[in-house]
Amino acid sequence: MKITTTLFTLALAALSVCEASPAFDGKIVSLVRNPSHKKNFKAHIRKLRHRYPHIKAGENTTVSAVGVGAVPVVNVGTDVEYYGPVQIGNPPQTFHLNFDTGSADIWLPTLSCKTQSCTAHTRYNASASTTYRKDGRLWEITYGDGSGANGILASDMVNVGGIQVRQTIGLATNETEDFASSPEDGLFGLGFNAIQSVPGVKTFMDNVIAAKAVALPVVSAYLPSVRRNGGKDGHYLFGAIDDTKFIGNLTYVPVTQQGYWQITIEDVSFNGKSLNHTTQGIIDTGSTLVMVSDAVAASIHKHVNGSSFSDDAQGWVVPCTLANSTGTVGFTMAGRSFEVPLADLAWQAVTKGSETCYSGVQGGADGLWILGDVFIKNNYCVFDHSAQASIGIAPLK
């Protein structure tokens, strides 16, 4: 999930009972840009270091317009995070949730929550939904930076782009003030059930696959980039793959541990030259940046003229002119290198009008690398829930 000015890491329990809509060919969640959000780099880095507190160091389907529902999803600021509308209940109540392959649960504030963090967002009204079912079990979550939430569990019909199942969701009756500035109402996890807050709980994707509500057991991510296309026209596909968006064929990278979408990164390169590093990593739609080990971050940036580690900025900085560069940083998986343009390392000016930018690649992930949106917005990613789980990756057109 995205770590920006608020922290949504582990979220709350999501139990589920399959009550599904009829089968269909796949659903699109389109992505559009919200330019009003302001990034906070220091908060992002501080909270990202608590991102994973308990981690230990097919054939393509072309999606036609027929029978495919489109739902706009917001690209916050300059590719800071991505979220979209999810409908819950009957009649449907719409919430802006962060789609996050780095977590597995769904949670949002409920009407009885009166804290500033809750009242700043759309809150779920149980009494207004005819399909609401009381659960009543209590849950509580505390994050690495001290923020947290607590409340009760309930179940209702959850609808994403036309895909609908009954899902148990966490209803926050209290949230710390850290969440007040978050642009989304809550979290929509797309990870595996092993990282559910309540052990044994089935995820949304578990349920739609069991209910045969998707043609393929996949979620495909095509994230928009302000640099590439003005931050518009991206999408998530549930149950399908849009092979018009990428070059060549998908390379399927085996998942080495189901929980987060964990894979083996076989090497990292700079302008095609190997830097001789290998590790386990995670491909995470909910994190903005690429996070590598301190040693690898230093190895990459020593090739970038004018870059340095700034104690004041608490991270690596690069010349903002790098946005005009044509070089690449590559990550090799399943024998194929997938690129991040050096242009995307010029992520955000340190201060308004500054010629120095925070880098889109940072250190601090010595146990597990995180390939966040800086990677994903340059590579089409298919999160495949087949028996042998894998991530299909191909460079974007």
Side-chain angles (χ1 to χ4, degrees):
M1 73 189 268
K2 190 94 46 224
I3 306 296
T4 52
T5 56
T6 54
L7 181 67
F8 288 113
T9 45
L10 303 175
L12 316 168
L15 305 177
S16 52
V17 178
C18 293
E19 288 186 13
S21 56
F24 54 94
D25 294 331
K27 299 296 179 183
I28 299 176
V29 180
S30 301
L31 301 175
V32 296
R33 184 186 174 208
N34 176 0
S36 63
H37 183 71
K38 295 181 179 179
K39 292 180 281 190
N40 185 329
F41 179 83
K42 292 181 181 179
H44 176 87
I45 292 298
R46 183 174 63 252
K47 294 176 181 180
L48 187 55
R49 285 172 180 151
H50 296 288
R51 178 76 172 98
Y52 302 105
H54 61 281
I55 196 78
K56 311 220 181 271
E59 293 181 355
N60 296 350
T61 297
T62 301
V63 180
S64 68
V66 178
V68 176
V71 180
V73 175
V74 175
N75 174 2
V76 179
T78 310
D79 313 336
V80 177
E81 60 186 312
Y82 304 87
Y83 65 87
V86 174
Q87 295 182 324
I88 300 176
N90 181 33
Q93 302 171 45
T94 300
F95 303 91
H96 292 155
L97 302 184
N98 185 317
F99 290 90
D100 178 21
T101 59
S103 65
D105 308 309
I106 299 172
W107 74 271
L108 63 157
T110 189
L111 196 62
S112 62
C113 184
K114 306 298 184 183
T115 67
Q116 180 183 359
S117 294
C118 288
T119 58
H121 297 97
T122 301
R123 293 173 292 169
Y124 172 81
N125 185 350
S127 64
S129 174
T130 62
T131 49
Y132 162 79
R133 290 182 184 174
K134 182 179 179 180
D135 183 303
R137 286 175 292 174
L138 302 179
W139 58 258
E140 181 175 2
I141 187 71
T142 301
Y143 300 104
D145 65 346
S147 63
N150 58 68
I152 58 174
L153 297 180
S155 76
D156 208 333
M157 303 306 295
V158 174
N159 187 313
V160 180
I163 300 173
Q164 181 169 260
V165 292
R166 177 167 290 280
Q167 184 78 28
T168 295
I169 54 179
L171 301 179
T173 57
N174 182 63
E175 297 178 8
T176 58
E177 61 183 10
D178 309 74
F179 296 100
S181 61
S182 174
E184 63 271 349
D185 301 314
L187 182 73
F188 194 104
L190 293 170
F192 295 95
N193 59 26
I195 56 171
Q196 289 276 8
S197 297
V198 174
V201 169
K202 291 184 178 180
T203 67
F204 179 82
M205 284 302 295
D206 286 335
N207 292 324
V208 296
I209 292 168
K212 299 182 179 179
V214 285
L216 294 175
V218 302
V219 178
S220 303
Y222 173 57
L223 299 187
S225 162
V226 170
R227 181 184 63 81
R228 292 175 62 95
N229 59 10
K232 301 177 181 179
D233 301 326
H235 62 243
Y236 285 98
L237 287 178
F238 287 77
I241 300 167
D242 187 350
D243 59 10
T244 69
K245 302 300 184 186
F246 55 85
I247 299 169
N249 297 318
L250 293 164
T251 296
Y252 282 88
V253 183
V255 169
T256 58
Q257 180 172 316
Q258 293 188 16
Y260 310 111
W261 287 84
Q262 184 170 327
I263 42 79
T264 299
I265 300 173
E266 298 161 354
D267 197 7
V268 60
S269 62
F270 187 91
N271 285 340
K273 182 178 180 180
S274 171
L275 300 181
N276 297 312
H277 295 280
T278 184
T279 189
Q280 290 291 291
I282 288 170
I283 298 183
D284 182 9
T285 61
S287 291
T288 304
L289 305 180
V290 168
M291 300 288 290
V292 297
S293 68
D294 287 335
V296 171
S299 183
I300 290 171
H301 286 95
K302 78 176 183 180
H303 295 284
V304 179
N305 292 332
S307 68
S308 65
F309 185 87
S310 169
D311 290 330
D312 183 58
Q314 299 176 18
W316 285 93
V317 296
V318 299
C320 293
T321 54
L322 200 63
N324 301 316
S325 173
T326 57
T328 61
V329 175
F331 297 90
T332 300
M333 292 168 281
R336 183 177 179 184
S337 181
F338 301 97
E339 313 301 324
V340 171
L342 291 185
D344 283 333
L345 267 62
W347 183 65
Q348 174 192 4
V350 172
T351 59
K352 185 176 181 181
S354 173
E355 295 181 356
T356 300
C357 283
Y358 294 113
S359 177
V361 175
Q362 294 290 332
D366 289 309
L368 188 76
W369 295 5
I370 303 168
L371 302 185
D373 297 338
V374 166
F375 175 85
I376 301 168
K377 68 185 180 182
N378 290 291
N379 295 280
Y380 196 87
C381 293
V382 177
F383 299 89
D384 190 334
H385 290 260
S386 298
Q388 300 298 321
S390 62
I391 306 175
I393 312 174
L396 294 180
K397 288 186 175 178

